[in-house]
Amino acid sequence: MKIILIDCGILFPYEDFFDINYLIPDLREVEHKISKIIITHGHEDHIGAIHHYIEKFPEAEIYAPLFAKKLIENKLDYKSLSKKIKPLNNKIEFGAAAITPIHVNHSIPDTKGLMITHDKLDTAVLFISDFKVDLNSPYEAPINLDLIKDFSSKYKRRVALLDSTNIMSKNLHTPSEGSVLKDLKEEMETTTGTTYITSFASNIHRIQTILTSCKRLKPFCYSIW
Ligand SMILES: [Zn+2]
């Protein structure tokens, strides 16, 4: 049996995990051959363990969206590993099954959901690892709901496997990055002192928002690590 793996990230350690930098699944438990690894986006909890998998399954084909592909290639350079990463643009077919990437919004560019279809089983499974719905992003197109609807209408059995940070929170609405950009610009243009901004380093769109807001101001932007 061959296995297709979706994402291979790391788990960040808790405070009491002394001297442990990160955790990965125990690869000794993976008994079957992994034939393909499909990456949904470039966050560390989705690509961080990829070099461990390449060392264990060197023959596996790896597909990743362009932004994640660049991050993985940097990571492999750092580890002195060589592996071709194929761009995840189009449908990948294997027998009666196929995986089609679908554009979704997230805090990092070029994030994909995956529509996994099986014609003989008349089944479509929508898998999205991290996402938000941003219909007014200044940086990317809205999530491709039309493509999701199109697939859903073609298959008798439909399953949605969706996950994202805070997905279980009630009455929580994530504002569009467009409104953050507008508010931050106004704030920075009217302040008379220094503005300090904190953000997750992995929130690439937010970093772009901060840089865009700083652009017209002087003396621009300093990072404090
Ligand atoms: Zn993510």
Side-chain angles (χ1 to χ4, degrees), residues 10-141:
I10 55 171
L11 183 67
F12 300 108
Y14 300 111
E15 308 86 57
D16 54 348
F17 286 21
F18 301 114
D19 265 350
I20 294 175
N21 293 330
Y22 60 84
L23 295 95
I24 64 167
D26 187 349
L27 297 181
R28 291 171 303 182
E29 300 289 314
V30 184
E31 291 168 0
H32 301 290
K33 204 172 170 185
I34 291 177
S35 61
K36 291 180 175 46
I37 297 174
I38 300 178
I39 300 296
T40 60
H41 64 287
H43 278 151
E44 276 296 283
D45 52 341
H46 295 260
I47 65 167
I50 198 155
H51 55 285
H52 296 287
Y53 285 82
I54 288 172
E55 282 166 352
K56 174 140 176 139
F57 305 103
E59 68 292 341
E61 292 179 295
I62 302 178
Y63 295 83
L66 193 59
F67 197 85
K69 181 176 176 317
K70 294 282 177 202
L71 293 172
I72 293 168
E73 286 166 349
N74 278 350
K75 193 182 278 295
L76 296 185
D77 273 355
Y78 182 72
K79 298 281 178 190
S80 300
L81 276 173
S82 163
K83 176 78 187 173
K84 184 172 166 45
I85 311 296
K86 299 183 176 183
L88 179 64
N89 294 327
N90 302 311
K91 189 177 188 178
I92 304 166
E93 291 183 274
F94 37 97
I99 294 181
T100 305
I102 295 179
H103 168 70
V104 301
N105 300 120
H106 188 25
S107 57
I108 187 167
D110 217 7
T111 297
K112 306 291 184 193
L114 301 174
M115 185 62 84
I116 306 160
T117 51
H118 197 294
D119 288 348
K120 280 189 189 159
L121 298 176
D122 204 1
T123 299
V125 178
L126 174 64
F127 173 85
I128 309 182
S129 52
D130 284 341
F131 75 106
K132 68 174 184 175
V133 176
D134 192 340
L135 303 178
N136 192 29
S137 170
Y139 310 122
E140 58 178 2

